[in-house]
Amino acid sequence: MQTVDILIGVFAVIALGGSVVGVVLYEPSAASEFGVFYSTETHELGSEDTSVSGGGPNGGTSSAEVTHDIGISNLTELVFEVQVTSQSALPARSAALSITVTVTDPNGTETREDGSISGTGTSTTIEVRVPNLNEVPVDGAIQAESLEAAATQANETNVGTNGIGEWTVTVEVTYPAGLAAESGTVTSTPRATHYHSEVRAEVPDISPAA
Amino acid sequence: MVSGGALGQPENDRGAWNSRLGFILAAVGSAVGLGNIWRFPFTTAEGGGAVFLVIYLVILVIVGLPVMLGELALGRRGKLNPVGTFRRLANGHPFWVGVGVLFVLTSLFIISWYSVIGGWVLRYIWGSANGSYFADPAGYFNEIQDGPIALGLHAFVIGITALVLAIGVSKGIERVAFIMMPILFVLVVGIAIWVATLDGAGEGYSFYLSPDFSEFDTDILRSATGQAFFSLSLGQGAILTYASYLDDRESLSDNGTIISLADTGVAVLAGFMIFPALAVAGLLTTEAGPGALFIGLATAFAELGTVGRILGSLFFTALFFAAFTSAISLLEPSISFVRDQFKVPRVKAAILMGIIAYIGGIFAALSRTYFGIAAGDGTDIVVILGGLLISLFAGWFLMDAPEEMNRGGRLRLGHYAMWMCRIPIPVVLFTLLVLALVDYVNAIRAGEVFLGL
């Protein structure tokens, strides 16, 4: 018998033994691995408006309030675009209207921005940004039996609840003295940025040399 | 002295190509593999369409073709397996003999997991015909990736590969190439024509090849360079071994150019069947990778219903032919080594190396972790290293390489190829090697792989 015949015999035994041992030790994975990838998107939510009135010979401050009931989870940022419109302008009014917008989150934390309507203007838009509500999770992998189950699992974990609830937007207008009483409008439009997950089946990367 | 044989003459002791066309088809079969189908079209679409294609062709000439000519020149000059070739041409220098051993081991290493993918493709032919993956393509892929059936199909693919190789160079490899490569070409063209007639296919063409100059950046250059090098089956010992059976009168410059262009042609054609099919199914994506092949396209075939069954069966049959002809070229270097070095009959050499390749594939068929490492960074690293060493040897030690490359043909690329192999290509491949090693180290740090596996 030649050496090669012996080698064939030896390797055949190893192949057979290796196959048997391999199959016995093999553990089928009922669940497969799915990659979870997070990305953000921004939506404009419905606007709310109200009126504000005040002023008179002695000036003074008036305020108005609108509320937004926000039910979106995984919020990363909310931006409130508040437009304040005044009926008066030159020559009825020569001084600016001072405006302060205060946004109060469901926990009572306030974020404030100031602005004004110039003497010649009739409206202004003030943006109040409330960032860092929830942190975007890091991309990862989960085990699940199907793509649908993986998507459900991904949606149920890493849910960011900060920011869900009633938000209040308070607008304070300070009128200069000597102005006739007037009324204006306040429109608040929130833009919500939130993250969402996308689930993809994990596939082993194969060398392009293949 | 071992002779390489001559055209039209009976096979000598080692075997020889019966015709020039046979060699070209076999070499194209080696170069055209899964990467041509799943990677090239998606990389092209992602990299700016026609802009990427032009850049790719330029880099193919700069990087791919010179290394191809270097490997062809080495193989035909040595007229032996990779170990024997380096031993002969480097006068037995241990380092270069070791490089020859590296090539034999590299080809064995790659075939051991490549045949597992061949088994997946066979399952997909069947799965397309009976629609068994249509309900859940991702779940189906998860199910078939490993396990006893994957192991059995790995054994089957290795078995038929060894059988073809046991028959010989002209009667085995060449005959299979003569049958399978034209069928592969007809299938790819036929599917491309068929999907062109389906509603919504047009979007796929503009998605694939619309020039987009905004995509041009250094990442595209890296991507095109890697693709140009990897696509030609270089650095694996396969082309070297095939060239060892080539007649001395054949022009390496002409044949190397034809092989490179044919490889690119099939890859470009693949895009003409893939993107219209994805567009018809409303699933256009540039996400390259095996996921695009085994899940993305499978989902598209599922969306197409009965048409998808036929289209999917034909597509995966074409893919199997591409994979099988590449598998043949990957097992041949080790068989050639055993035959040349130990004077063993080809049949016994094929049986022995087939069994060894099967043993290597047991891990790949039963362990996803091992498969991921072997088929990913592991192969990248050894193949780039192989290309780097080929390039250095051809550029610095094979002094008559230009004459070897230019002999008997119209194209005279020898001096250009040798000059490129001396410094520019080693610099490029060394950079790619470092990047591949960095990827591997990062994967270890991220806990995705274990050291040594």
Side-chain angles (χ1 to χ4, degrees), chain B residues 247-282:
Chain B
D247 186 86
D248 281 341
R249 290 167 296 180
E250 282 296 319
S251 164
L252 300 185
S253 290
D254 287 5
N255 288 336
T257 305
I258 291 168
I259 294 162
S260 303
L261 291 178
D263 175 69
T264 306
V266 173
V268 172
L269 271 175
F272 282 100
M273 65 175 178
I274 288 171
F275 290 110
L278 287 172
V280 170

Short mmCIF file of all heavy atoms in Angstrom, two decimals, chain B residues 247-282:
data_model
loop_
_atom_site.label_atom_id
_atom_site.label_comp_id
_atom_site.label_asym_id
_atom_site.label_seq_id
_atom_site.Cartn_x
_atom_site.Cartn_y
_atom_site.Cartn_z
N ASP B 247 0.40 26.46 -22.84
CA ASP B 247 1.45 26.31 -23.85
C ASP B 247 2.34 27.55 -23.91
O ASP B 247 1.89 28.67 -23.71
CB ASP B 247 0.77 26.10 -25.21
CG ASP B 247 1.78 25.80 -26.28
OD1 ASP B 247 2.13 24.61 -26.42
OD2 ASP B 247 2.23 26.73 -26.96
N ASP B 248 3.62 27.33 -24.22
CA ASP B 248 4.60 28.42 -24.26
C ASP B 248 4.32 29.44 -25.36
O ASP B 248 4.79 30.57 -25.28
CB ASP B 248 6.02 27.85 -24.46
CG ASP B 248 6.57 27.32 -23.15
OD1 ASP B 248 6.05 27.71 -22.09
OD2 ASP B 248 7.50 26.49 -23.19
N ARG B 249 3.59 29.02 -26.39
CA ARG B 249 3.35 29.94 -27.50
C ARG B 249 2.21 30.91 -27.22
O ARG B 249 1.99 31.86 -27.95
CB ARG B 249 3.05 29.15 -28.78
CG ARG B 249 4.25 28.42 -29.33
CD ARG B 249 3.84 27.42 -30.37
NE ARG B 249 3.00 26.37 -29.79
CZ ARG B 249 2.50 25.35 -30.47
NH1 ARG B 249 2.72 25.25 -31.76
NH2 ARG B 249 1.77 24.42 -29.87
N GLU B 250 1.45 30.64 -26.18
CA GLU B 250 0.30 31.50 -25.88
C GLU B 250 0.74 32.84 -25.33
O GLU B 250 1.66 32.90 -24.49
CB GLU B 250 -0.61 30.81 -24.87
CG GLU B 250 -1.49 29.74 -25.47
CD GLU B 250 -2.47 30.31 -26.47
OE1 GLU B 250 -3.04 31.38 -26.21
OE2 GLU B 250 -2.66 29.69 -27.53
N SER B 251 0.06 33.91 -25.75
CA SER B 251 0.39 35.25 -25.25
C SER B 251 -0.28 35.48 -23.91
O SER B 251 -1.51 35.44 -23.80
CB SER B 251 -0.08 36.30 -26.24
OG SER B 251 -0.10 37.57 -25.60
N LEU B 252 0.52 35.75 -22.91
CA LEU B 252 -0.05 36.02 -21.58
C LEU B 252 -0.72 37.39 -21.57
O LEU B 252 -1.75 37.58 -20.91
CB LEU B 252 1.04 35.95 -20.52
CG LEU B 252 1.76 34.60 -20.39
CD1 LEU B 252 2.73 34.63 -19.21
CD2 LEU B 252 0.76 33.45 -20.20
N SER B 253 -0.13 38.36 -22.28
CA SER B 253 -0.73 39.71 -22.31
C SER B 253 -2.12 39.65 -22.93
O SER B 253 -3.08 40.22 -22.39
CB SER B 253 0.15 40.66 -23.13
OG SER B 253 1.33 40.94 -22.45
N ASP B 254 -2.24 38.95 -24.06
CA ASP B 254 -3.54 38.85 -24.72
C ASP B 254 -4.54 38.10 -23.83
O ASP B 254 -5.66 38.57 -23.60
CB ASP B 254 -3.42 38.09 -26.06
CG ASP B 254 -2.73 38.93 -27.12
OD1 ASP B 254 -2.28 40.05 -26.78
OD2 ASP B 254 -2.62 38.47 -28.27
N ASN B 255 -4.11 36.94 -23.36
CA ASN B 255 -5.04 36.11 -22.58
C ASN B 255 -5.41 36.77 -21.26
O ASN B 255 -6.57 36.71 -20.84
CB ASN B 255 -4.42 34.73 -22.32
CG ASN B 255 -4.38 33.88 -23.57
OD1 ASN B 255 -5.15 34.09 -24.50
ND2 ASN B 255 -3.46 32.93 -23.62
N GLY B 256 -4.43 37.39 -20.60
CA GLY B 256 -4.71 38.06 -19.33
C GLY B 256 -5.71 39.19 -19.52
O GLY B 256 -6.61 39.38 -18.69
N THR B 257 -5.57 39.92 -20.62
CA THR B 257 -6.49 41.03 -20.89
C THR B 257 -7.90 40.49 -21.17
O THR B 257 -8.89 41.02 -20.66
CB THR B 257 -6.00 41.84 -22.11
OG1 THR B 257 -4.66 42.26 -21.84
CG2 THR B 257 -6.87 43.06 -22.35
N ILE B 258 -7.96 39.42 -21.97
CA ILE B 258 -9.28 38.82 -22.28
C ILE B 258 -9.96 38.33 -21.00
O ILE B 258 -11.14 38.57 -20.77
CB ILE B 258 -9.13 37.66 -23.30
CG1 ILE B 258 -8.70 38.20 -24.66
CG2 ILE B 258 -10.43 36.87 -23.43
CD1 ILE B 258 -8.25 37.13 -25.64
N ILE B 259 -9.18 37.65 -20.15
CA ILE B 259 -9.75 37.12 -18.90
C ILE B 259 -10.26 38.26 -18.03
O ILE B 259 -11.38 38.21 -17.50
CB ILE B 259 -8.69 36.29 -18.13
CG1 ILE B 259 -8.33 35.03 -18.93
CG2 ILE B 259 -9.20 35.91 -16.74
CD1 ILE B 259 -7.02 34.39 -18.48
N SER B 260 -9.46 39.33 -17.91
CA SER B 260 -9.86 40.47 -17.06
C SER B 260 -11.13 41.12 -17.60
O SER B 260 -12.05 41.45 -16.84
CB SER B 260 -8.75 41.51 -17.00
OG SER B 260 -7.57 40.92 -16.53
N LEU B 261 -11.19 41.31 -18.91
CA LEU B 261 -12.36 41.97 -19.49
C LEU B 261 -13.60 41.08 -19.43
O LEU B 261 -14.71 41.55 -19.18
CB LEU B 261 -12.07 42.38 -20.95
CG LEU B 261 -11.06 43.52 -21.11
CD1 LEU B 261 -10.80 43.81 -22.58
CD2 LEU B 261 -11.54 44.78 -20.40
N ALA B 262 -13.40 39.77 -19.65
CA ALA B 262 -14.54 38.85 -19.58
C ALA B 262 -15.10 38.81 -18.16
O ALA B 262 -16.32 38.79 -17.95
CB ALA B 262 -14.12 37.45 -20.03
N ASP B 263 -14.20 38.82 -17.19
CA ASP B 263 -14.62 38.82 -15.78
C ASP B 263 -15.46 40.07 -15.50
O ASP B 263 -16.53 39.99 -14.90
CB ASP B 263 -13.37 38.79 -14.90
CG ASP B 263 -13.70 38.92 -13.43
OD1 ASP B 263 -14.28 37.95 -12.89
OD2 ASP B 263 -13.39 39.96 -12.83
N THR B 264 -14.97 41.21 -15.99
CA THR B 264 -15.70 42.47 -15.78
C THR B 264 -17.03 42.43 -16.54
O THR B 264 -18.06 42.88 -16.03
CB THR B 264 -14.86 43.66 -16.27
OG1 THR B 264 -13.58 43.60 -15.63
CG2 THR B 264 -15.52 44.98 -15.94
N GLY B 265 -16.99 41.88 -17.75
CA GLY B 265 -18.20 41.83 -18.57
C GLY B 265 -19.32 41.05 -17.88
O GLY B 265 -20.46 41.50 -17.85
N VAL B 266 -18.97 39.90 -17.32
CA VAL B 266 -20.00 39.10 -16.63
C VAL B 266 -20.53 39.87 -15.42
O VAL B 266 -21.74 39.87 -15.14
CB VAL B 266 -19.43 37.73 -16.19
CG1 VAL B 266 -20.43 36.97 -15.32
CG2 VAL B 266 -19.07 36.89 -17.41
N ALA B 267 -19.61 40.55 -14.72
CA ALA B 267 -20.03 41.31 -13.53
C ALA B 267 -20.98 42.44 -13.93
O ALA B 267 -22.00 42.67 -13.27
CB ALA B 267 -18.80 41.87 -12.82
N VAL B 268 -20.66 43.14 -15.03
CA VAL B 268 -21.53 44.23 -15.48
C VAL B 268 -22.88 43.66 -15.91
O VAL B 268 -23.94 44.19 -15.56
CB VAL B 268 -20.87 45.01 -16.64
CG1 VAL B 268 -21.85 46.02 -17.25
CG2 VAL B 268 -19.62 45.74 -16.16
N LEU B 269 -22.84 42.55 -16.65
CA LEU B 269 -24.09 41.91 -17.11
C LEU B 269 -24.96 41.49 -15.92
O LEU B 269 -26.19 41.56 -15.99
CB LEU B 269 -23.77 40.68 -17.94
CG LEU B 269 -23.58 40.90 -19.45
CD1 LEU B 269 -23.14 39.60 -20.10
CD2 LEU B 269 -24.89 41.38 -20.08
N ALA B 270 -24.31 41.05 -14.86
CA ALA B 270 -25.07 40.61 -13.67
C ALA B 270 -25.95 41.74 -13.16
O ALA B 270 -27.09 41.51 -12.73
CB ALA B 270 -24.11 40.15 -12.58
N GLY B 271 -25.44 42.96 -13.24
CA GLY B 271 -26.23 44.11 -12.80
C GLY B 271 -27.47 44.30 -13.65
O GLY B 271 -28.51 44.74 -13.16
N PHE B 272 -27.37 43.93 -14.94
CA PHE B 272 -28.52 44.08 -15.83
C PHE B 272 -29.61 43.06 -15.55
O PHE B 272 -30.71 43.17 -16.05
CB PHE B 272 -28.07 43.98 -17.30
CG PHE B 272 -27.43 45.24 -17.79
CD1 PHE B 272 -26.06 45.35 -17.86
CD2 PHE B 272 -28.21 46.33 -18.14
CE1 PHE B 272 -25.47 46.53 -18.30
CE2 PHE B 272 -27.63 47.51 -18.58
CZ PHE B 272 -26.25 47.61 -18.66
N MET B 273 -29.28 42.01 -14.80
CA MET B 273 -30.37 41.10 -14.41
C MET B 273 -30.85 41.41 -13.00
O MET B 273 -32.01 41.23 -12.67
CB MET B 273 -29.96 39.63 -14.57
CG MET B 273 -28.86 39.13 -13.71
SD MET B 273 -28.63 37.33 -13.93
CE MET B 273 -27.24 37.07 -12.84
N ILE B 274 -29.91 41.89 -12.15
CA ILE B 274 -30.28 42.08 -10.74
C ILE B 274 -31.15 43.32 -10.53
O ILE B 274 -32.23 43.23 -9.93
CB ILE B 274 -28.99 42.18 -9.88
CG1 ILE B 274 -28.34 40.79 -9.77
CG2 ILE B 274 -29.30 42.73 -8.50
CD1 ILE B 274 -26.98 40.80 -9.13
N PHE B 275 -30.69 44.48 -11.02
CA PHE B 275 -31.41 45.71 -10.67
C PHE B 275 -32.79 45.83 -11.30
O PHE B 275 -33.73 46.27 -10.63
CB PHE B 275 -30.53 46.93 -10.96
CG PHE B 275 -29.40 47.02 -9.99
CD1 PHE B 275 -28.10 46.78 -10.40
CD2 PHE B 275 -29.63 47.27 -8.66
CE1 PHE B 275 -27.05 46.82 -9.50
CE2 PHE B 275 -28.59 47.31 -7.74
CZ PHE B 275 -27.29 47.08 -8.16
N PRO B 276 -32.96 45.42 -12.57
CA PRO B 276 -34.34 45.44 -13.08
C PRO B 276 -35.25 44.50 -12.28
O PRO B 276 -36.40 44.84 -12.01
CB PRO B 276 -34.18 44.95 -14.53
CG PRO B 276 -32.78 45.27 -14.88
CD PRO B 276 -32.00 45.10 -13.62
N ALA B 277 -34.70 43.33 -11.87
CA ALA B 277 -35.52 42.40 -11.07
C ALA B 277 -35.90 43.04 -9.74
O ALA B 277 -37.06 42.95 -9.30
CB ALA B 277 -34.76 41.10 -10.84
N LEU B 278 -34.93 43.69 -9.10
CA LEU B 278 -35.23 44.36 -7.83
C LEU B 278 -36.22 45.50 -8.05
O LEU B 278 -37.12 45.73 -7.23
CB LEU B 278 -33.94 44.91 -7.20
CG LEU B 278 -32.97 43.89 -6.60
CD1 LEU B 278 -31.66 44.56 -6.18
CD2 LEU B 278 -33.58 43.19 -5.39
N ALA B 279 -36.07 46.23 -9.18
CA ALA B 279 -36.97 47.35 -9.47
C ALA B 279 -38.40 46.86 -9.69
O ALA B 279 -39.35 47.44 -9.18
CB ALA B 279 -36.48 48.11 -10.70
N VAL B 280 -38.53 45.75 -10.42
CA VAL B 280 -39.86 45.20 -10.68
C VAL B 280 -40.54 44.81 -9.36
O VAL B 280 -41.73 45.01 -9.18
CB VAL B 280 -39.75 43.97 -11.63
CG1 VAL B 280 -41.08 43.23 -11.71
CG2 VAL B 280 -39.32 44.42 -13.02
N ALA B 281 -39.74 44.30 -8.44
CA ALA B 281 -40.29 43.90 -7.14
C ALA B 281 -40.39 45.08 -6.18
O ALA B 281 -40.85 44.92 -5.05
CB ALA B 281 -39.44 42.81 -6.53
N GLY B 282 -39.93 46.26 -6.62
CA GLY B 282 -39.99 47.44 -5.76
C GLY B 282 -39.02 47.38 -4.60
O GLY B 282 -39.29 47.89 -3.51
#
